């Protein structure tokens, strides 16, 4: 606060508002209003692999949610430099992730599973696997890891806090692997009261599903679905801002 006050004395009031908008109040950012660019999720292994979700939004804002065996536990937020964002977009474009399969079967079962999802206009591409993934995919992962392991993060929400207000805690957006039938899939989750709400993309096996959040812990349901081998990607749905 003292630093911010000094800035306001040196700069004009309008300049201070501009600084606040572009970095000093990141923890007040409404993530539901942002468009994702790319995200990476690292799952558990048989050892102490860091388990976290990492998201980069189209405007350069990044979030890191440390879950297990990470230096940062909870949800953190940060803004990357414009130069870094421009370079990353170039790398994602040149990688041409569309050319690769959605899933790669592991040859070493105890390795960590990594999921990378790229958002381009109305197209969503998810690639999940352990070892044996293409070199271009590994290059993208390496770039994302550099940002995820960087310094300067601000705490957005402590681990175990209530879900953010913009989250619909009884709804999930899921991407099923090609060939997986949504109706057969939801039947596996009768105990959770899973139901199909609607298809969310004509080009992808992307679905909105609901479940009974009164009788089931929403975080536990999400974790179970994310570990499902028929699921390429899963996340909570966002409440409508309309």
């Amino acid at each position: 606060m003292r630093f911010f006050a000094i800035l306001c004395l040196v700069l004009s009031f309008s300049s201070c508002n501009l600084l606040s908008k572009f970095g000093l109040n990141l923890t007040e950012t409404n993530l539901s209003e942002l468009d994702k660019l790319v995200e990476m999720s690292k799952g558990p292994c048989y050892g102490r692999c860091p388990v976290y979700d990492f998201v980069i939004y189209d405007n350069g804002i990044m979030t890191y949610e440390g879950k297990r065996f990470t230096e940062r536990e909870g949800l953190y937020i940060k803004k990357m430099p414009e130069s870094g964002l421009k370079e990353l977009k170039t790398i994602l474009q040149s990688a041409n992730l569309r050319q690769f399969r959605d899933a790669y079967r592991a040859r070493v079962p105890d390795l960590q599973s990594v999921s990378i999802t790229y958002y381009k206009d109305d197209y969503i591409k998810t690639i999940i696997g352990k070892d044996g993934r293409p070199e271009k995919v590994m290059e993208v992962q390496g770039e994302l890891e550099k940002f995820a392991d960087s310094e300067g993060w601000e705490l957005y929400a402590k681990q175990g806090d209530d879900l953010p207000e913009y989250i619909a805690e009884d709804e999930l957006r899921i991407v099923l692997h090609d060939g997986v039938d949504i109706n057969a899939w939801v039947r596996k989750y009768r105990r959770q009261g899973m139901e199909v709400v609607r298809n969310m993309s004509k080009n992808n096996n992307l679905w909105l599903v609901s479940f009974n959040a009164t009788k089931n812990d929403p975080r536990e349901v999400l974790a179970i679905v994310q570990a499902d081998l028929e699921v390429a990607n899963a996340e909570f749905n966002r409440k409508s801002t309309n």
Side-chain angles (χ1 to χ4, degrees):
M1 293 297 296
R2 182 179 180 183
F3 175 71
F4 185 75
I6 293 174
L7 280 177
C8 287
L9 290 174
V10 176
L11 303 172
S12 68
F13 179 75
S14 60
S15 296
C16 287
N17 285 340
L18 190 63
L19 286 170
S20 177
K21 179 179 179 181
F22 286 97
L24 295 182
N25 286 325
L26 282 179
T27 55
E28 299 178 6
T29 302
N30 186 347
L31 298 176
S32 66
E33 298 178 351
L34 306 182
D35 295 320
K36 290 182 179 180
L37 173 64
V38 63
E39 64 182 310
M40 176 176 66
S41 297
K42 289 195 171 188
C45 66
Y46 290 143
R48 296 178 61 85
C49 298
V51 179
Y52 64 85
D53 293 334
F54 175 62
V55 181
I56 298 178
Y57 293 89
D58 196 60
N59 64 351
I61 285 181
M62 305 182 289
T63 58
Y64 176 103
E65 184 177 7
K67 298 180 177 179
R68 295 178 62 195
F69 307 127
T70 58
E71 293 184 4
R72 298 182 297 272
E73 291 189 353
L75 184 60
Y76 287 77
I77 191 168
K78 181 182 175 181
K79 182 89 161 55
M80 71 163 59
E82 290 295 330
S83 57
L85 180 61
K86 183 178 180 180
E87 182 180 356
L88 177 61
K89 288 183 176 180
T90 299
I91 291 173
L92 290 169
Q93 186 78 18
S94 63
N96 188 21
L97 296 178
R98 295 190 184 197
Q99 65 181 305
F100 303 119
R101 301 200 307 266
D102 292 337
Y104 289 83
R105 188 178 299 276
R107 291 170 292 186
V108 183
D110 61 341
L111 292 179
Q112 183 177 42
S113 177
V114 180
S115 171
I116 295 176
T117 301
Y118 178 43
Y119 299 82
K120 179 64 175 177
D121 301 323
D122 293 331
Y123 182 83
I124 301 174
K125 175 65 177 180
T126 296
I127 302 173
I128 187 170
K130 298 181 179 180
D131 57 339
R133 285 170 294 150
E135 182 178 350
K136 286 289 185 181
V137 177
M138 299 305 297
E139 289 177 0
V140 170
Q141 178 177 327
E143 290 298 319
L144 297 180
E145 288 173 339
K146 290 179 183 178
F147 290 111
D149 295 336
S150 62
E151 302 294 331
W153 293 89
E154 296 181 64
L155 181 64
Y156 188 87
K158 294 180 181 179
Q159 192 175 46
D161 284 358
D162 292 337
L163 293 170
E165 292 185 0
Y166 62 83
I167 290 295
E169 62 177 19
D170 62 342
E171 293 182 338
L172 299 177
R173 291 189 293 178
I174 61 169
V175 180
L176 298 177
H177 289 302
D178 291 341
V180 178
D181 179 73
I182 182 63
N183 295 307
W185 183 85
V186 296
R187 286 197 291 269
K188 298 193 301 182
Y189 297 93
R190 293 190 187 94
R191 188 179 69 82
Q192 289 81 17
M194 194 79 72
E195 295 181 351
V196 178
V197 177
R198 68 176 185 274
N199 178 254
M200 299 184 70
S201 172
K202 296 180 180 179
N203 302 318
N204 296 279
N205 209 355
L206 173 63
W207 299 86
L208 178 64
V209 298
S210 64
F211 61 93
N212 190 327
T214 302
K215 296 182 178 180
N216 300 274
D217 185 320
R219 295 181 189 274
E220 290 185 3
V221 174
L222 177 61
I224 293 172
V225 171
Q226 288 177 331
D228 190 321
L229 295 179
E230 293 186 314
V231 177
N233 189 60
E235 62 183 14
F236 284 116
N237 190 34
R238 303 169 181 173
K239 293 179 181 178
S240 174
T241 56
N242 296 335

